[in-house]
Amino acid sequence: FGFVLELGVHKGDSLRFWRSLGAQRVVGIDRNLSMLEGEFDGIEVIEGDATDADLLSQFAPDLAIDDASHLWSDQRASFEALWPRTGLYVIEDLVTSYLPDWASGENTMDWLIREVHALHQQAGRFGSMTFHPGMVVLAR
């Protein structure tokens, strides 16, 4: 991948992973950078809100990964801000859609199920949706 943007970086291990795979540009955004460990040579780390549309409008990644708050409202806001300018979009930790402390009312999986139906009716916005344990990859 040329440009990887990750929302939610925790200790930063995945940022270094993407860089080690040859990503030309790696940017991580997190509200709290106090957990970062190690060196980040050639990696941009930004303290900020992953739902901030103005902040996200600065980026057009080849791959965007949402591993931030795992809350439906935040995931939706981040997705809507980035999808128009990204090629692949990954949402991690979908299990939170099934946990009572994380999900009340509509959740990410409810939305994704509707999008699966739209995909099969050739009326959706995705070219493909690939589900893996705990995550989904959305492509044009």
Side-chain angles (χ1 to χ4, degrees), residues 25-91:
R25 182 179 182 200
V26 178
V27 175
I29 299 174
D30 203 305
R31 287 182 185 161
N32 180 358
L33 300 180
S34 67
M35 298 294 291
L36 287 178
E37 296 176 350
E39 298 295 320
F40 292 92
D41 295 336
I43 297 171
E44 300 169 59
V45 182
I46 299 168
E47 189 163 10
D49 186 336
T51 65
D52 181 343
D54 289 334
L55 173 62
L56 298 179
S57 72
Q58 301 173 40
F59 303 104
D62 298 304
L63 170 63
I65 304 160
D66 186 340
D67 192 18
S69 74
H70 312 307
L71 297 172
W72 161 236
S73 58
D74 291 353
Q75 289 171 328
R76 186 65 186 259
S78 299
F79 172 83
E80 294 298 341
L82 285 169
W83 180 248
R85 294 177 315 284
T86 192
L88 287 174
Y89 198 93
V90 175
I91 302 173

Side-chain angles (χ1 to χ4, degrees), residues 65 90-95 112 130-137:
I65 304 160
V90 175
I91 302 173
E92 293 191 3
D93 299 313
L94 292 175
V95 68
L112 290 169
T130 308
F131 288 86
H132 303 272
M135 67 183 276
V136 64
V137 179

Side-chain angles (χ1 to χ4, degrees), residues 116-138:
V116 166
H117 293 304
L119 176 70
H120 289 290
Q121 295 168 11
Q122 299 179 344
R125 62 173 122 184
F126 305 118
S128 68
M129 301 172 70
T130 308
F131 288 86
H132 303 272
M135 67 183 276
V136 64
V137 179
L138 307 168

